Amino acid sequence: MIWRNLLNSFNSVKCSIHNPANVLLANNARYLSSAFVAGEPAGPEVKTAIPGPRSLAMLAEMKTIQISDAVQLFADYSKSIGNYLYDVDGNILLDVYTQISSVPLGYNHPELLDVLQDKENIRTFINRPALGVFPGENYPQRVYNSLLRVAPKGHTEVTTMACGSCSNENAYKAIFVWFRRKQRGDAPYTPEEETSCVMNQTPGVSDLTLLSFKGAFHGRTFGTLITTHTKPVHKLDIPTMDWPIGTFPRYKYPLEDFVRENEEEDRRCLAEVEELFERYNKRGKNVAGVVIEPIQSEGGDHHASPAFFQQLQRIAKKNGAALLIDEVQTGGGTTGEFWCHDHFNLEHPVDIVTYSKKMLVGGYFSLPEFRPREGYRIFNTWMGEPSKVVLLEKVIDVIKRDKLIENVKVTGDILLNGLKGFGKRYPNLVKNVRGRGTFCAFDCDSMAKRDQLVEQLKVEGVQTGGAGPVAVRLRPSLVFQPHHAAIFLDRLEKALHKMDNKV
Amino acid sequence: MIWRNLLNSFNSVKCSIHNPANVLLANNARYLSSAFVAGEPAGPEVKTAIPGPRSLAMLAEMKTIQISDAVQLFADYSKSIGNYLYDVDGNILLDVYTQISSVPLGYNHPELLDVLQDKENIRTFINRPALGVFPGENYPQRVYNSLLRVAPKGHTEVTTMACGSCSNENAYKAIFVWFRRKQRGDAPYTPEEETSCVMNQTPGVSDLTLLSFKGAFHGRTFGTLITTHTKPVHKLDIPTMDWPIGTFPRYKYPLEDFVRENEEEDRRCLAEVEELFERYNKRGKNVAGVVIEPIQSEGGDHHASPAFFQQLQRIAKKNGAALLIDEVQTGGGTTGEFWCHDHFNLEHPVDIVTYSKKMLVGGYFSLPEFRPREGYRIFNTWMGEPSKVVLLEKVIDVIKRDKLIENVKVTGDILLNGLKGFGKRYPNLVKNVRGRGTFCAFDCDSMAKRDQLVEQLKVEGVQTGGAGPVAVRLRPSLVFQPHHAAIFLDRLEKALHKMDNKV
C-alpha cells in the first residue's frame, strides 16, 4: 500500500522523503518533500487519558458557568502547530477534525502570525465597523483579493456575514425577496403590504417555502432549523414551519458495484422533489427555492451524484425556484476543488452559494438578480468582519502559492485508498468508504462501535469526529499532506486492530 | 447653560479644562481635566461633502460587489481616534453613533492596541476554536474576568454567541426548551417526539410562542424577525409565525407634566399583555416567554417606566413564562448603569439577558434553570470567539479603572439638559427629549426634517443616526466626556439654527 511505503520513508528520514516508493509519490514530490508548516512534531504523542487531569480541572470550572457536555478537552493554542492539536495535559493529537472543519491552514501558520505583526492590520482587529454603513479604506479591494478571487463559477457578487447560520438565514431571505419581486413585477409595495408585514400578517409577509432534504444540516437558528433534519437534539421543542422536505439519495457502496441501484435512487428522490413542488405550489405555499449541501455532512457524509445535482438544478429552474448550495462545510478547497459543486459540472451557475468555516468569515455569493433593491433589506450591525477578510486574503494567497488544492487531491487519494483497504480487512468497522479530496468518511456497523472507534483513535493520538448515526468523518486542514495521511492510516489501523480483537 | 461654559473653557485651554464653570463640573473634575483617550483632535473638521470624492470612488467599486445603499462614507480606521471618526477624504467627525452603538472605548484605544502587542494574545486571534468542544487553556478564567465580572444581578451563568441576532435566537430556544421541560417533567422524550421533530411535526416540535412588542427590534434572522416590528424593509416577503404582539408604552413628554397620562398608558399596555397571554394560551399556542428591550432603540428610542417593567415581570411569572430583556443595544454602561434594567429596581433577577455590540461578543446570561440538560442543545461551530473575550477583558478593566460609567452619568446629564434647552428654542426640531446616561434621543416633527437634521449635523462635523420614523439617537462611546458633549451641543445648535432659518 502506498501509505505504508510512505510511512516507512517518513519514519526513516522524518519529514523529508527523498525516496518515494512509487509513481504516485514520485509525481507529487512537492507534497512530500517537506511540511507546509514548519515545526510540526514527528507524530502524535499521548501521555494521559483524554481529557487529562488539567482539562478535567478546567472543565469543572467551565461547568459552573455553562453547559459543557460537548467539551472534549482544553487545547493549548500557543503550542498547537500545523496539523497537530496540543492539549493542556501535554498530549499531541494529529487533528483530522480541525474545529469542526473550520481551520484552513492548520494551527499557528507563520503567514497568519505575520498578518498580526503589521501595525495597520492590528487596527483592523480592534476597530470593528458597521460594515454596511461605514466600511474602512479600500475594503472593496480587500474583498476582491479574498472572496472574489475564489468566487464560484459565474459569480461576481458577495455578501459577508458572521457565521454559517447567519449566512443561510440571509440567503433564505434574499431568495424570498427575489421570488416575491418576480411575482410583483415592478409594482411598488402596497400600503397594505407595508402595514401588515410589521404585524406578521399577509400580504406583507409571505407564505413562501424552501425545499430542504432529510438528513440536511443548515444551522440551528430558527430559519435554518426549519431546513435542518439531522438529530432530535437540535429540533425538539422549537416551533417551526411546514416546508417541503425531500429525500437526499442514500447510495450503496462501492459505487461501481451499484450503478443501476444508485441511478434508480437518484430518480426516486428527484421524482419526489417534483411531486413536492407540485403539492406545495398547489396549496399556495409556493416553493421559492431549494437548499442543499453538496455532501450532507453533519447528517452522516452522504454523497449525491453530479447527475442528481444537474437534474435538481433543472427542476428548480423549471419551477422558477432558486437553487442554494450550502458550502459552509464543503467549501474552501477541502474536496479537491475550491467549491464542492465544481465537481458537478452544472449547466448554469448556482443561484446562491453560502460559505463560512474555512473561509473564516460567513456569507454568500449570489447572482446579480438576487441583489435586493433597497438598502437595509439584508443587513445587520456588523455584516461580517474586516479582520477576517484580512486573514482570508492571506489564506487564499497561501492556498494558491503552495498549491494546496493539488495537495488535497494527492493526499485525498492516499487517504481514500487506505480506507478502502481497511474496508476489506475490517468490514464491520470500515464500511461505505467515500470521499472527495480529503473530505472522507466511512461507516461503522453501529453507533456504539463508531463512538468506540472515535475514542480509540484518540488513545492512538488522532482527533476525529462522528457524523450522523454511524459515520466517522475526516476533516483535515488543507496542509494535511501525504505523510500525515500515512500517520493517520497507521494509527487508524492500530485502533481497528485493537477493536477487532476485542470484539 | 453648563455646556456653553464648558465649551468656552474647553476652547480657551483645549482638552484641559482647569476652570470648570459651575458646581456640577467642579464636582466631576476628573471627567473634565483630560481626555480618556490621548491624541484626539480639538474638534471636528469637515473639508468636503460627505461622502467625499474618495469615499464616492470606493463606493462605486463596492457597488459592483454588493448592494451598498446604506453606506454613508468610507472611514480611515488607522487615523480615527477616541470619539473622532476620520474618513478617507480627511474629514474628522465627532462620532455620537459609534458603529450603531457598538464601540465601547472609542477608536484605537491604546489599551486595546496593547492587547495585540502580546504574543500569546495574537495566537488567540488566528486560532479560532470550536469553543463548545475544544476551548483553549484557561478559557473559563477569561470568562470570569470579563463577562461574569459584569453579570446582571443574580446571574452566574453565561453563553457566548457571535452576534446580537444569534444571541436572541439561542435565548429564544433556551426558553422553549425550558418551558417544555416544565410541562414534560422528568419524563424522557418519547420516540414519537424524537421522530416527529426531525420532520418539523408535533409533538416533537412545539406550538409555543413568545410575546414581543410593537416597535420592537430584536434582529433580522427568522426567529428574531418574528419578534421585530419596526420597519417594513426588514419584514416584507419573509415568512413568519403568528406570535402575540403587545403594545410598548408611548409616553408624552416632558414626563413630569404627564404623570397621570403615562401611568394610564402603562396600565393599558399591561392589560393588553394579560389579555394576549390569555388568548394565546387558550388557543393552545402557549406563551413561553416575553422578550423586550429596556429602551426600544431601532424602533425610535421609546422608554417605559420601572413600574411597567416591574409589573411585566409579575405578569410573566404569574403565567409561568420567562422574561428576556434584550440589552444588545442598551448594555455595557451606556445608560449610566452597566445594564439598563438596573434602573428598574425589579423584584427578581431577569430570567435571560442578551448582549452584543459594546460587549464585542454576543450571548446571553441565564438563570440556572434555563441550562439545557443535553450538550449540543444550544450549540454552533464557533460559539462566540475567545479573541473577543480577550479584548472584552481589557474593556472591562478600563471601564472600572477610568470609572467610565460615572463619566456616562455626568456627561449624560449635560447632554440631556442641553437638549432640553434646545427643545424650548426649537420646538419643531427638538421634541420629546429623553434619555438615560448618554443614551439620549429627541424627535423632529417629521421624518423629512429628521433626515435633514442628521445630514446637516454631518456638515457640522457630527456623525449621528436616526431611529424610528422621527427620532435622532445619540449613541456615543463610554469615553464621550463633558467636553465632547459641549462640542456636540454647539454643533447641534449651529445645525438647528440653520434649519430653523431655512424653514
Side-chain angles (χ1 to χ4, degrees):
Chain A
M1 269 173 295
I2 291 168
W3 70 266
R4 190 165 293 288
N5 296 335
L6 181 56
L7 186 71
N8 291 339
S9 324
F10 177 74
N11 281 338
S12 57
V13 297
K14 300 291 185 214
C15 283
S16 165
I17 294 151
H18 297 294
N19 184 23
N22 57 52
V23 177
L24 174 72
L25 300 185
N27 283 346
N28 294 287
R30 63 171 273 108
Y31 304 112
L32 307 169
S33 57
S34 64
F36 284 123
V37 182
E40 287 189 320
E45 208 180 319
V46 176
K47 296 173 180 168
T48 74
I50 297 173
R54 291 201 65 220
S55 272
L56 285 172
M58 287 174 202
L59 186 57
E61 261 190 287
M62 188 98 156
K63 280 185 175 165
T64 66
I65 299 173
Q66 62 188 225
I67 186 164
S68 315
D69 293 35
V71 170
Q72 298 194 18
L73 54 79
F74 280 75
D76 183 337
Y77 292 110
S78 297
K79 294 203 185 112
S80 297
I81 182 80
N83 296 279
Y84 290 92
L85 180 69
Y86 286 57
D87 79 3
V88 293
D89 290 283
N91 300 301
I92 305 174
L93 300 173
L94 179 65
D95 191 357
V96 297
Y97 193 49
T98 60
Q99 313 294 329
I100 321 180
S101 200
S102 67
V103 181
L105 302 182
Y107 300 104
N108 286 307
H109 195 287
E111 303 271 350
L112 294 185
L113 284 169
D114 278 353
V115 169
L116 279 130
Q117 296 307 320
D118 180 304
K119 279 205 168 173
E120 287 312 302
N121 285 341
I122 281 181
R123 291 170 187 261
T124 309
F125 286 78
I126 66 159
N127 294 300
R128 187 177 190 177
L131 254 182
V133 193
F134 309 102
E137 186 166 12
N138 295 326
Y139 181 68
Q141 202 54 54
R142 293 269 193 197
V143 175
Y144 279 117
N145 295 345
S146 55
L147 291 161
L148 288 175
R149 204 170 153 201
V150 294
K153 270 185 213 108
H155 281 270
T156 57
E157 307 203 354
V158 69
T159 300
T160 51
M161 290 285 154
C163 71
S165 287
C166 285
S167 305
N168 283 326
E169 289 271 339
N170 282 281
Y172 294 2
K173 285 171 62 175
I175 289 174
F176 292 127
V177 169
W178 163 84
F179 194 91
R180 287 286 295 132
R181 196 169 63 213
K182 286 197 307 172
Q183 295 183 319
R184 205 181 265 123
D186 278 328
Y189 309 116
T190 64
E192 198 194 351
E193 283 178 322
E194 294 197 332
T195 50
S196 61
C197 74
V198 176
M199 292 300 283
N200 294 13
Q201 303 293 321
T202 54
V205 303
S206 75
D207 280 326
L208 298 176
T209 63
L210 281 183
L211 189 149
S212 56
F213 290 86
K214 290 172 203 161
F217 183 91
H218 300 289
R220 297 177 185 85
T221 47
F222 276 74
T224 60
L225 198 56
I226 304 173
T227 59
T228 284
H229 314 287
T230 50
K231 300 178 188 135
V233 73
H234 308 317
K235 305 268 294 179
L236 275 161
D237 307 336
I238 314 299
T240 190
M241 297 194 210
D242 173 23
W243 288 4
I245 307 169
T247 304
F248 194 94
R250 293 290 182 264
Y251 292 154
K252 291 196 163 69
Y253 289 87
L255 293 178
E256 54 276 23
D257 296 349
F258 295 97
V259 173
R260 202 181 43 78
E261 289 85 344
N262 293 337
E263 281 176 4
E264 179 50 37
E265 175 71 351
D266 280 358
R267 268 192 298 276
R268 185 180 74 88
C269 294
L270 290 163
E272 192 187 321
V273 167
E274 301 230 51
E275 193 271 323
L276 284 166
F277 262 106
E278 210 185 305
R279 192 183 339 151
Y280 276 76
N281 287 349
K282 205 174 277 175
R283 284 170 48 196
K285 293 172 70 94
N286 279 357
V287 183
V290 175
V291 53
I292 192 163
E293 296 154 279
I295 301 169
Q296 284 194 334
S297 306
E298 147 87 1
D301 267 44
H302 299 294
H303 291 246
S305 67
F308 174 84
F309 282 97
Q310 290 159 16
Q311 192 55 27
L312 184 67
Q313 186 175 51
R314 280 181 212 119
I315 295 171
K317 273 209 185 304
K318 192 177 73 183
N319 284 282
L323 177 63
L324 186 169
I325 296 198
D326 174 349
E327 294 254 21
V328 166
Q329 186 148 169
T330 48
T334 173
T335 67
E337 296 282 356
F338 201 91
W339 302 104
C340 185
H341 75 268
D342 288 339
H343 290 284
F344 300 157
N345 193 24
L346 295 171
E347 216 170 326
H348 307 280
V350 176
D351 294 307
I352 301 200
V353 177
T354 53
Y355 60 84
S356 187
K357 291 201 186 246
K358 279 195 177 58
M359 302 297 285
L360 308 181
V361 67
Y364 61 87
F365 296 93
S366 53
L367 297 180
E369 62 190 282
F370 289 86
R371 187 192 280 226
R373 286 197 190 155
E374 306 90 10
Y376 293 103
R377 209 73 159 89
I378 299 289
F379 189 82
N380 58 53
T381 298
W382 284 320
M383 295 290 289
E385 180 166 9
S387 67
K388 304 294 183 196
V389 174
V390 168
L391 287 171
L392 180 63
E393 204 176 335
K394 182 57 76 176
V395 167
I396 306 286
D397 280 350
V398 172
I399 289 176
K400 303 267 182 192
R401 182 196 68 190
D402 291 350
K403 298 195 169 35
L404 293 184
I405 298 190
E406 282 305 305
N407 173 61
V408 166
K409 284 181 191 161
V410 173
T411 310
D413 281 348
I414 295 171
L415 211 48
L416 205 60
N417 285 325
L419 290 173
K420 283 180 179 167
F422 294 150
K424 290 179 187 132
R425 288 161 55 204
Y426 305 97
N428 298 328
L429 292 170
V430 181
K431 303 165 67 145
N432 306 330
V433 171
R434 56 207 183 267
R436 288 189 186 277
T438 55
F439 198 101
C440 297
F442 58 92
D443 294 337
C444 300
D445 64 3
S446 72
M447 186 187 278
K449 274 198 197 146
R450 189 273 310 274
D451 291 348
Q452 204 184 330
L453 180 56
V454 167
E455 279 312 301
Q456 188 60 42
L457 274 166
K458 220 177 274 182
V459 174
E460 305 297 338
V462 176
Q463 177 68 51
T464 180
V470 294
V472 175
R473 62 176 148 175
L474 309 184
R475 297 290 181 272
S477 74
L478 306 176
V479 296
F480 188 74
Q481 295 173 255
H483 65 275
H484 300 111
I487 294 170
F488 165 74
L489 291 166
D490 177 57
R491 300 296 172 123
L492 174 59
E493 187 171 31
K494 287 194 171 94
L496 293 169
H497 184 71
K498 283 181 193 167
M499 278 183 64
D500 209 39
N501 285 355
K502 265 186 225 162
V503 174
Chain B
M1 270 172 293
I2 291 167
W3 70 268
R4 189 166 295 287
N5 296 336
L6 180 55
L7 185 72
N8 290 339
S9 324
F10 177 74
N11 280 340
S12 58
V13 296
K14 301 294 182 206
C15 285
S16 165
I17 295 150
H18 298 292
N19 183 24
N22 57 51
V23 177
L24 173 72
L25 299 185
N27 282 347
N28 293 286
R30 61 171 275 107
Y31 305 110
L32 308 170
S33 58
S34 64
F36 284 123
V37 182
E40 287 190 318
E45 206 181 320
V46 177
K47 296 172 180 168
T48 73
I50 296 174
R54 291 201 66 221
S55 272
L56 285 172
M58 286 175 203
L59 186 57
E61 261 191 286
M62 188 99 155
K63 280 188 175 163
T64 66
I65 299 173
Q66 61 188 225
I67 187 166
S68 314
D69 293 35
V71 170
Q72 297 194 18
L73 54 80
F74 280 76
D76 183 338
Y77 291 110
S78 299
K79 295 203 186 111
S80 297
I81 182 79
N83 295 280
Y84 289 92
L85 179 69
Y86 287 57
D87 79 2
V88 293
D89 290 283
N91 299 303
I92 304 174
L93 300 174
L94 179 65
D95 191 357
V96 297
Y97 192 48
T98 61
Q99 314 294 327
I100 320 180
S101 198
S102 66
V103 180
L105 302 182
Y107 300 104
N108 287 306
H109 195 285
E111 302 273 348
L112 295 184
L113 282 170
D114 277 353
V115 169
L116 278 131
Q117 296 306 318
D118 180 303
K119 278 205 169 175
E120 288 311 302
N121 285 342
I122 281 181
R123 291 171 186 263
T124 308
F125 287 79
I126 66 159
N127 295 298
R128 187 178 190 176
L131 254 182
V133 192
F134 309 102
E137 187 165 10
N138 296 326
Y139 181 67
Q141 203 53 55
R142 293 270 193 195
V143 175
Y144 279 116
N145 295 345
S146 53
L147 291 161
L148 289 176
R149 202 168 156 203
V150 293
K153 268 184 215 112
H155 282 270
T156 57
E157 307 204 355
V158 68
T159 300
T160 51
M161 291 286 155
C163 71
S165 288
C166 285
S167 306
N168 282 326
E169 289 271 338
N170 281 282
Y172 294 1
K173 286 171 61 174
I175 288 174
F176 292 127
V177 169
W178 162 85
F179 193 91
R180 286 286 295 131
R181 196 168 63 213
K182 286 197 307 173
Q183 293 183 319
R184 205 183 266 120
D186 276 329
Y189 309 116
T190 65
E192 198 195 349
E193 283 177 323
E194 294 198 330
T195 50
S196 63
C197 75
V198 177
M199 293 299 285
N200 295 12
Q201 303 293 322
T202 53
V205 303
S206 74
D207 281 327
L208 298 176
T209 63
L210 282 184
L211 189 150
S212 56
F213 290 87
K214 291 174 205 161
F217 183 90
H218 300 289
R220 296 177 186 86
T221 48
F222 276 74
T224 59
L225 198 56
I226 304 171
T227 58
T228 284
H229 314 287
T230 49
K231 299 178 188 138
V233 72
H234 308 317
K235 305 267 295 180
L236 275 162
D237 307 335
I238 313 300
T240 191
M241 297 194 210
D242 173 23
W243 289 3
I245 308 168
T247 303
F248 194 95
R250 293 291 181 264
Y251 292 154
K252 292 196 163 71
Y253 289 87
L255 292 178
E256 56 274 22
D257 295 350
F258 295 97
V259 173
R260 200 180 45 78
E261 289 86 343
N262 293 336
E263 281 176 3
E264 179 50 36
E265 174 72 350
D266 280 358
R267 268 193 297 277
R268 184 180 75 88
C269 294
L270 289 163
E272 192 187 322
V273 167
E274 300 231 51
E275 193 272 322
L276 283 167
F277 262 105
E278 208 184 306
R279 191 183 342 151
Y280 276 76
N281 288 349
K282 205 174 278 176
R283 284 171 48 197
K285 293 172 68 95
N286 278 358
V287 184
V290 175
V291 52
I292 193 164
E293 296 153 280
I295 299 170
Q296 286 193 334
S297 305
E298 147 85 1
D301 267 44
H302 299 293
H303 291 246
S305 68
F308 174 83
F309 282 97
Q310 290 159 15
Q311 192 55 25
L312 184 67
Q313 186 176 52
R314 280 181 212 121
I315 295 172
K317 275 214 183 300
K318 193 179 73 183
N319 284 280
L323 178 63
L324 187 169
I325 296 199
D326 174 349
E327 294 253 20
V328 167
Q329 186 149 169
T330 47
T334 173
T335 67
E337 295 282 353
F338 200 91
W339 302 107
C340 185
H341 73 267
D342 288 339
H343 291 283
F344 300 157
N345 194 22
L346 295 172
E347 214 171 326
H348 307 278
V350 177
D351 294 306
I352 301 200
V353 178
T354 52
Y355 60 84
S356 187
K357 290 196 184 251
K358 280 195 178 57
M359 302 297 283
L360 307 183
V361 68
Y364 60 89
F365 296 92
S366 53
L367 296 180
E369 62 189 284
F370 289 87
R371 187 191 280 227
R373 285 197 191 158
E374 305 91 7
Y376 294 104
R377 207 75 157 91
I378 299 288
F379 191 81
N380 57 52
T381 297
W382 285 319
M383 295 291 289
E385 179 164 12
S387 67
K388 304 293 182 197
V389 174
V390 168
L391 287 171
L392 179 63
E393 205 177 333
K394 182 58 73 176
V395 168
I396 306 287
D397 280 350
V398 172
I399 289 175
K400 303 267 183 194
R401 183 197 68 191
D402 291 349
K403 299 196 168 36
L404 292 185
I405 297 189
E406 282 305 306
N407 173 61
V408 166
K409 284 181 191 161
V410 174
T411 310
D413 281 347
I414 296 171
L415 212 47
L416 206 60
N417 286 326
L419 290 173
K420 283 180 179 166
F422 293 150
K424 288 177 190 135
R425 288 162 54 207
Y426 304 96
N428 297 327
L429 291 170
V430 181
K431 304 166 68 145
N432 304 331
V433 171
R434 55 208 183 266
R436 287 188 185 278
T438 55
F439 198 101
C440 298
F442 58 91
D443 295 336
C444 299
D445 64 3
S446 72
M447 186 186 281
K449 271 194 201 153
R450 189 272 312 274
D451 292 348
Q452 202 185 334
L453 180 57
V454 168
E455 279 313 301
Q456 187 62 43
L457 275 166
K458 220 177 276 181
V459 174
E460 306 296 337
V462 176
Q463 178 68 51
T464 181
V470 294
V472 175
R473 63 177 147 175
L474 309 185
R475 297 290 180 273
S477 74
L478 307 177
V479 296
F480 187 77
Q481 296 174 255
H483 64 277
H484 301 111
I487 294 170
F488 165 75
L489 291 166
D490 177 57
R491 299 298 171 121
L492 174 59
E493 187 172 31
K494 287 195 172 91
L496 293 169
H497 185 71
K498 283 181 194 169
M499 277 183 64
D500 210 40
N501 286 355
K502 264 186 226 159
V503 174

